[in-house]
Amino acid sequence: MAAGEDSQLRTVVVDLTAARNQRRAAGGAASAPDRHHRFTGKGATTVRTDAARSIAEAMATAGVKRLVIVSNSARVAGPGDDWFTRFVVKPLILRPLLRHSLADMAAAEQVVRDSALDWTVVRAPHLTDNAAKGSYRTAMERNVLFGVRVTRDDLATCLLDSVTDGSAIRKHVNIAN
C-alpha cells in the first residue's frame, strides 16, 4: 500500500540520528513504523542504535507510544529454524559475515526494549525485490520454519499490519514468505 492509498498514512523522510527531526516527524502520529536503509559498510557501526535511541526519545517527547522496527532474523538461531540453519548457516556463516550490522541491530533492539514504548520488533530474513506474494508467515518469539526470504512489499505490509496488532506489542515477530 502506498502512502497515497490510505488517508490515515503519511510518509516522513528525516535524518534518523537527529532527535529534533524525529520529534517533528512524530508530532501528531499514533505510531511510527521504522525502516532504515541498508548499511553497506564493513566496519563497526551504531547507525541503527543511534537511530533507535533518537526515535524513542522523539516519540516519548511527542507522546507517541507505538513503534514497529525492522531487524534481521540472521541474528537469532533457535526454535523455528531447521537444524542446518540453526547450527551451521546462522552461527558459522551469517553471524561472522554480518557481525557488525548484527551487533548494531542487537543494540538497537535493546534500546527499543528498554523504552516505555509499545514496541514490536519485526525480524526479517533475506529481503527480495520480487513482486509481493500477497501473504506472509509470522511467528512470535521464534523463527519461521524454512523462513529464508521475504519480499520487501510483504515486509512493508507486515509492518503496517503490526501497528494495529495488539497481540504483537512488546514482542519479536519473525516474518517470511
Side-chain angles (χ1 to χ4, degrees):
M1 166 180 1
E5 295 177 30
D6 185 331
S7 63
Q8 299 288 328
L9 183 64
R10 91 184 147 104
T11 302
V12 179
V13 179
V14 297
D15 174 359
L16 293 173
T17 59
R20 63 180 157 51
N21 291 339
Q22 296 294 335
R23 282 191 296 275
R24 189 169 49 244
S31 64
D34 157 51
R35 186 200 170 284
H36 296 224
H37 293 284
R38 286 178 273 211
F39 175 75
T40 57
K42 296 185 191 271
T45 179
T46 60
V47 170
R48 293 187 64 81
T49 306
D50 295 342
R53 187 172 294 108
S54 177
I55 290 167
E57 290 171 5
M59 290 177 68
T61 300
V64 177
K65 295 290 291 174
R66 188 72 173 109
L67 174 64
V68 179
I69 70 163
V70 179
S71 191
N72 188 309
S73 65
R75 201 175 67 66
V76 181
D81 285 329
D82 62 273
W83 185 91
F84 188 70
T85 300
R86 185 175 188 172
F87 295 107
V88 177
V89 175
K90 287 184 178 181
L92 301 178
I93 299 170
L94 293 179
R95 282 192 198 140
L97 184 66
L98 304 172
R99 69 185 173 278
H100 297 300
S101 63
L102 294 180
D104 189 22
M105 287 182 199
E109 284 188 27
Q110 191 62 52
V111 166
V112 171
R113 280 192 299 272
D114 290 344
S115 75
L117 299 172
D118 292 340
W119 56 265
T120 298
V121 174
V122 177
R123 292 179 176 152
H126 174 76
L127 299 176
T128 71
D129 292 323
N130 297 337
K133 295 189 181 287
S135 65
Y136 55 85
R137 300 177 295 141
T138 60
M140 291 225 195
E141 305 300 342
R142 61 181 291 126
N143 293 312
V144 177
L145 185 61
F146 301 113
V148 295
R149 60 186 55 87
V150 67
T151 68
R152 292 177 194 281
D153 289 344
D154 289 328
L155 173 60
T157 299
C158 177
L159 293 174
L160 293 173
D161 291 346
S162 296
V163 169
T164 57
D165 182 358
S167 69
I169 292 175
R170 302 189 79 71
K171 302 269 192 224
H172 305 93
V173 178
N174 284 36
I175 180 175
N177 283 126

